[in-house]
Amino acid sequence: MPEKELLEQFNVSLCEFDSSQWSRDGFLDPVNRVVYINRDLPAERRLKVILHELGHLEHNPKHYERLREKYEAQANRNMIHELLVDYLKSTDIYDFNWVRFAAQYDISTTWGEAMIQDEFRKIQQTVI
């Protein structure tokens, strides 16, 4: 999925920074709808970070500290969902293997297994 289309779809802009400015991959300014991303990231990591940050769009920033774990899990779930939608465009849904998917996108099987399988089931139900 092309980055430009993704940003247009969510009506956000992108601003890059380098590793010397912040020691993180990215963050979101929800008020101004800007995703800030580390320009030193490889392309596959960059997409995952953008999708994760877009998952924070509906979150209320003033509750972030209190709901950090919930918000981060929801953002990760959003990332996984969007990656799955894109992945299944080139993979037969009947041939889906969550371990292969996790390996391709470097998603930890420790926290990702349940999310990947849940999101796959949701997509599967809309297709089949």
Side-chain angles (χ1 to χ4, degrees), residues 15-19 21 25 37-42 46:
C15 184
E16 295 181 329
F17 60 89
D18 62 52
S19 299
Q21 293 174 297
D25 290 345
I37 190 157
N38 187 325
R39 77 176 52 145
D40 302 325
L41 295 175
R46 181 180 172 100

Side-chain angles (χ1 to χ4, degrees), residues 18-119:
D18 62 52
S19 299
S20 66
Q21 293 174 297
W22 279 295
S23 61
R24 58 192 303 177
D25 290 345
F27 59 96
L28 175 73
D29 171 358
V31 174
N32 296 306
R33 298 185 70 85
V34 178
V35 173
Y36 290 86
I37 190 157
N38 187 325
R39 77 176 52 145
D40 302 325
L41 295 175
E44 62 278 355
R45 178 79 184 130
R46 181 180 172 100
L47 176 61
K48 286 172 46 179
V49 171
I50 291 170
L51 290 171
H52 172 91
E53 296 307 328
L54 291 173
H56 287 298
L57 278 172
E58 301 303 316
H59 295 156
N60 187 331
K62 68 181 179 183
H63 297 299
Y64 182 79
E65 287 306 315
R66 183 173 60 84
L67 299 172
R68 176 181 294 218
E69 286 185 43
K70 177 180 179 178
Y71 281 1
E72 290 303 319
Q74 288 173 338
N76 282 335
R77 184 174 291 276
N78 178 74
M79 173 196 64
I80 286 170
H81 180 85
E82 295 298 329
L83 289 173
L84 270 170
V85 167
D86 196 52
Y87 180 82
L88 291 170
K89 289 177 184 173
S90 61
T91 303
D92 187 332
I93 198 163
Y94 296 105
D95 190 36
F96 179 73
N97 180 302
W98 77 267
V99 175
R100 224 177 334 190
F101 172 82
Q104 179 172 330
Y105 290 101
D106 193 28
I107 297 171
S108 169
T109 55
T110 305
W111 63 262
E113 177 181 2
M115 282 187 192
I116 292 168
Q117 291 181 7
D118 288 346
E119 291 306 308

